[in-house]
Amino acid sequence: MSGVEKFYGTFKALAGIDLTVHRGEKIVVCGPSGSGKSTLIRCINSLEPHDAGSIVVNGINVDGSASATRDVRLECGMVFQHFNLFPHLTVLENCMLAPRLNRALSKKVNETLARRFLAHVQVEEHAHKYPSQLSGGQQQRVAIARALCMEPPIMLFDEPTSALDPEVINEVLGVMEMLAAEGMTMVCVTHEMGFARRVANRCVFMDKGEIVEVNTADAFFDTPSSPRLQSFLSRILH
């Protein structure tokens, strides 16, 4: 991302964002509500069009064209705050839908792939249930499996635990930590600071549409340099 800006009317949601994410890196984006975190991650895979600057994902110039939008979404799996599973489809059918529409796979290969990723996130036994029959944590793990079924090289997470009950947050974070350990390139918007410290190669702090500070996880938490980050961490860590 280079010089990326995003407006909603006269409100500047992103102000000159410069950020490079390297293959295999785990980046955690945090900051107060309304700081532009979700807008940043949604611009990466063209869910929101940016108004200035450039975004390049694995060689794809994210320019808002239909072809670029399609291509970048094949590169980036996305997991949202709300699970967005289709309620009328079973867990297995939810996971098989995108590959069926976008990849020339046989039904048998598609189902095998879906079951493999459901097993990977430990919900394969629920393959023939409907989303309403699952807990929030189970639904979010299905949503992660659904994204993985497209076998993207990059995973984007937009506050994936904020809609969950506290007792099931760790089961979703555990899946994310497993993906991180396997070398997945990840950009995560989250308020889970323990997860950030354990997993992130770098942490990004945003405020008022700007990146205020970027640093390694240890330096980010132990020796924050900007007063805004110091104030933010003092409020959420104590």
Side-chain angles (χ1 to χ4, degrees), residues 82-128:
H82 300 287
F83 324 123
N84 294 343
L85 299 172
F86 292 108
H88 65 292
L89 299 180
T90 66
V91 163
L92 186 63
E93 290 167 341
N94 265 282
C95 289
M96 292 175 64
L97 181 61
R100 178 168 64 81
L101 297 175
N102 293 282
R103 302 175 69 185
L105 304 177
S106 70
K107 183 177 179 181
K108 182 177 180 180
V109 170
N110 192 2
E111 180 173 342
T112 299
L113 188 73
R115 287 187 178 276
R116 173 158 66 89
F117 285 115
L118 287 170
H120 202 49
V121 301
Q122 301 174 351
V123 287
E124 190 193 8
E125 69 273 19
H126 302 299
H128 295 294

Side-chain angles (χ1 to χ4, degrees), residues 6-8 11-15 34-36 39 206 208-210:
K6 169 68 180 177
F7 289 86
Y8 294 107
F11 174 71
K12 183 179 277 192
L14 295 178
S35 59
T39 301
M206 293 186 67
K208 298 178 181 176
E210 299 178 332

Side-chain angles (χ1 to χ4, degrees), residues 36-218:
K37 308 181 300 293
S38 291
T39 301
L40 180 149
I41 209 167
R42 290 170 67 88
C43 284
I44 293 174
N45 73 342
S46 215
L47 280 171
E48 296 279 359
H50 56 288
D51 298 308
S54 65
I55 302 174
V56 180
V57 179
N58 278 2
I60 301 162
N61 182 25
V62 183
D63 58 9
S65 67
S67 61
T69 298
R70 182 191 66 243
D71 290 346
V72 79
R73 290 180 185 169
L74 293 174
E75 297 292 306
C76 298
M78 182 89 176
V79 178
F80 300 89
Q81 177 177 347
H82 300 287
F83 324 123
N84 294 343
L85 299 172
F86 292 108
H88 65 292
L89 299 180
T90 66
V91 163
L92 186 63
E93 290 167 341
N94 265 282
C95 289
M96 292 175 64
L97 181 61
R100 178 168 64 81
L101 297 175
N102 293 282
R103 302 175 69 185
L105 304 177
S106 70
K107 183 177 179 181
K108 182 177 180 180
V109 170
N110 192 2
E111 180 173 342
T112 299
L113 188 73
R115 287 187 178 276
R116 173 158 66 89
F117 285 115
L118 287 170
H120 202 49
V121 301
Q122 301 174 351
V123 287
E124 190 193 8
E125 69 273 19
H126 302 299
H128 295 294
K129 292 182 180 178
Y130 289 90
S132 62
Q133 297 173 283
L134 305 182
S135 71
Q138 290 168 336
Q139 289 188 63
Q140 192 62 294
R141 283 186 282 157
V142 171
I144 294 172
R146 178 179 60 177
L148 292 173
C149 283
M150 290 297 290
E151 299 187 288
I154 302 162
M155 284 287 285
L156 308 175
F157 294 89
D158 188 5
E159 302 198 25
T161 60
S162 62
L164 298 176
D165 293 330
E167 65 267 21
V168 299
I169 286 174
N170 283 339
E171 64 186 60
V172 174
L173 293 177
V175 169
M176 294 168 65
E177 290 187 39
M178 175 183 66
L179 295 176
E182 292 167 354
M184 175 70 75
T185 305
M186 298 167 62
V187 182
C188 309
V189 173
T190 183
H191 295 291
E192 298 293 335
M193 295 296 100
F195 168 82
R197 186 154 201 162
R198 291 191 303 272
V199 171
N201 299 110
R202 288 183 294 151
C203 294
V204 176
F205 176 67
M206 293 186 67
D207 193 20
K208 298 178 181 176
E210 299 178 332
I211 290 179
V212 176
E213 188 164 338
V214 182
N215 219 325
T216 63
D218 284 346

